[in-house]
Amino acid sequence: MKTLLLSKNDVAQCLDMESVIVAVEEAYKTFQRGMVTQPAIQGMSMEKFHAAMDVKTCNNNDTDQMSMKIVGLYPGNAKGEGKYKTSEGGILPNMMGNLILSDAQTGATIAIMDSSLITGIRTGAAGAVSAKYMSREDSKVAAVFASGAQARNQIYAVSLVRDLEEVRVYDKFGTPEGFAAYKEFIESKTKAKVIICDTVEEAAKGADILVCPTPSREAYLMADYVKPGMHIIEVGTDADFKNELEPAVFGKADKIVCDSIAQCIVRGDTQNAIKGGAITKDDIYGEIGEIVLGLKPGRESAEEITIFDTTGMAIQDNTTAASCYEVAVKKGIGSWFEFI
């Protein structure tokens, strides 16, 4: 049997945000229906290189496709550290990894593909799914507290489900060049005007949707900045040593929704709120799949404060990779080889 090999460029040709939003919604439905076998995330820190690696695996019992994603964050790559370069001699991206898609019945490898784009795009799509069901339909203003790749993915994805008119950006480590690039990207992809802010509070004030996509280890979004009607997308905290939201933000929320409660209480900002005594596990409203399936209502009033805490699930990678594979086969993208 043949296996399809997809490079990062190949994956880019097979994925678009609209279709990935659909794939992620389907992932949440499948997970909530109990059709997913998904072991706990295996994480590894490599302090020598100030890097971290996660392994996410699952079997989609609906499609009988297994996936294993290895993805790591290597900040040193941006500085040109390490002995490896791209084939053109350029620096490697900060996010590195690959994904293996296999047949559950035989274990045969269907495809091997770059996982960095899959991770970035499906994470942005997750935020959009939450905004679709939990933010106010008339949301016009979004605030995002970073200006990198995931901050782009999140806002672009949200703009596909909400008619954004203004995007406020604060980035503690932002540069004039980075802000200019962010502004150009968002304003070319959406109808929103980008405004660069000097503080978190300035960005958050009056916003309808707050997006937290940073690797911060200290809370920066304070409860005083959160007002009735806001929807918060908490996406950056995906390990027990990270923190973006002050625990009191959770205590102020009317609805706390997780992608996976089991993951968020050990890896997400939800675990910080529980440890801080602001909430208990019983205060969690539910999982996003319950809302997508209509088992529980999403937003029920214009005044509700809602939080979506996502640590990212293997089933999201699985459905996104399967979609990517199908498009690649249809378009004749990638190269084939045989293990056996």
Side-chain angles (χ1 to χ4, degrees), residues 251-271:
K252 200 171 182 177
D254 297 288
K255 283 190 174 81
I256 301 164
V257 174
C258 302
D259 54 1
S260 163
I261 292 175
Q263 281 187 190
C264 289
I265 62 174
V266 295
R267 298 178 66 91
D269 239 343
T270 301
Q271 59 100 14

Side-chain angles (χ1 to χ4, degrees), residues 110-232:
I110 299 170
I112 300 175
M113 61 190 77
D114 171 80
S115 68
S116 59
L117 278 180
I118 286 175
T119 300
I121 294 175
R122 65 84 158 144
T123 304
V129 172
S130 80
K132 176 180 175 180
Y133 289 93
M134 298 175 64
S135 71
R136 298 194 328 272
E137 290 187 8
D138 64 350
S139 294
K140 301 293 185 184
V141 180
V144 60
F145 307 108
S147 57
Q150 189 50 228
R152 295 184 184 189
N153 286 330
Q154 288 289 328
I155 294 299
Y156 173 52
V158 169
S159 76
L160 296 175
V161 300
R162 290 291 180 259
D163 190 17
L164 297 181
E165 296 178 353
E166 183 175 297
V167 176
R168 300 176 188 167
V169 183
Y170 169 78
D171 189 342
K172 181 179 180 180
F173 302 104
T175 64
E177 296 79 14
F179 286 132
Y182 188 86
K183 181 179 177 70
E184 180 180 2
F185 177 86
I186 295 299
E187 292 186 349
S188 68
K189 291 283 188 178
T190 77
K191 295 184 294 183
K193 178 182 179 182
V194 173
I195 297 174
I196 309 304
C197 299
D198 295 324
T199 65
V200 173
E201 184 175 12
E202 179 187 349
K205 188 175 182 180
D208 305 308
I209 299 172
L210 308 181
V211 183
C212 303
T214 81
S216 179
R217 299 190 179 201
E218 293 183 1
Y220 59 81
L221 184 64
M222 303 292 113
D224 287 346
Y225 306 162
V226 177
K227 305 301 179 184
M230 287 182 170
H231 174 56
I232 302 168

